[in-house]
Amino acid sequence: MRMELVEPRRQQQRQEEKGAFERKSSRGKSTRRKMTISIVEEEEEESPKIVDLSGMSLDSLPVNPTINLGAISKLHISNNNLQSIPESLTARLLNLVELDMHSNQLNSIPNSIGCLSKLKLLNISGNLLLSLPKTIENCRSLEELNANFNMLTHLPDTIGFELINLKKLCINSNKIAYLPYSTSHLTNLRVLDARLNCLRSLPDDLENLINLEILNVSQNFQYLSKLPYSVGFLISLHELDVSYNKITELPDSIGCLKKLQKLSVEGNRLVSPPPEVVEQGIRAVKQYLCEKINGMHDKSPKKKSWFGKLARCSTFSGANIPRDDREDFGVPSNRTIDVIASPRFMGMLSPRRLLSPKTYFSK
């Protein structure tokens, strides 16, 4: 009898312990489940968002107060009828990495674009922009700027000093006459597309663009007549397009571009290198220019200097200067330049005065 009473008690105790364990474990599972849900919801709130409103024929951007603008990473509003972008809207897109506004009717870009410190890609092509705001220089993370097919006449003067991370600059099909001097400080630039503009010249210090691989300044037609010598120091250049300009002579330094694989020069009236060399391809052109650097193609007679003409004459009065030489100086044949022969002017041309240090003039 005693054994029978003890056994049921032990069984009841075991069942109670088992039930308590199951209840405890079930509470633990529910707690973990709730924690998991809260973490997922929190991650969804902080995850970057992409807003695409392109191709919707919008005249203005819709205002939705429930949207957290600070969470948007990519905003596409291309192919609409937008004429302006609100300053307040742009200023709140603090985490924006990509902004595509191409193919609208924009006359200007809001100054608040300078608040987009994380922006890496900006596409504003196909609009009616006359200029870019100076505040764009504050977008120091910008890697690609596409401003093709606008009405730009210039770029901000100091754009190259600030956008140090820029890798691709596309400004073709505008009305730009000069690239700012600071362009030569874009040391990370890989692509520069400035075709179909009104370029008169390029910056002189292009050798600083050590990573530039593609340079396209074609189709500036009657405006661009000369390339700077520094083009030949672009050590990473793979492709150079200067076609359809007014260039008559390529810089000899281009022959030193070891990585150059594509050279387009058609549509120019080249004298150096001559057309028969150009027709043979890029290898022949580079060889010709290298030989020209070494003086192998320099057959033109040396120009006679102005001082040499005077040195051959026994006096500076002009009496012994041949008539044709006097005409080169713009001096009438029936008149001498006796005033130059006066002691006062002869003193100015004396070797002591010309070759002495600056202290001579300060005495």
Side-chain angles (χ1 to χ4, degrees), residues 235-247:
I235 57 176
S236 300
L237 199 64
H238 291 173
E239 181 178 333
L240 175 61
D241 192 343
V242 295
S243 57
Y244 298 100
N245 286 300
K246 204 178 178 182
I247 299 171

Side-chain angles (χ1 to χ4, degrees), residues 188-243:
N188 285 308
L189 196 66
R190 285 168 170 75
V191 177
L192 175 56
D193 183 0
R195 55 189 159 151
L196 284 165
N197 275 281
C198 303
L199 287 178
R200 266 75 171 175
S201 64
L202 297 177
D204 290 329
D205 299 332
L206 291 180
E207 67 270 14
N208 295 327
L209 304 181
I210 56 176
N211 290 302
L212 191 66
E213 298 175 355
I214 298 176
L215 175 60
N216 192 334
V217 289
S218 64
Q219 301 177 72
N220 282 278
F221 299 107
Q222 72 269 27
Y223 301 104
L224 189 60
S225 60
K226 187 178 181 181
L227 296 176
Y229 199 81
S230 57
V231 167
F233 303 136
L234 298 173
I235 57 176
S236 300
L237 199 64
H238 291 173
E239 181 178 333
L240 175 61
D241 192 343
V242 295
S243 57

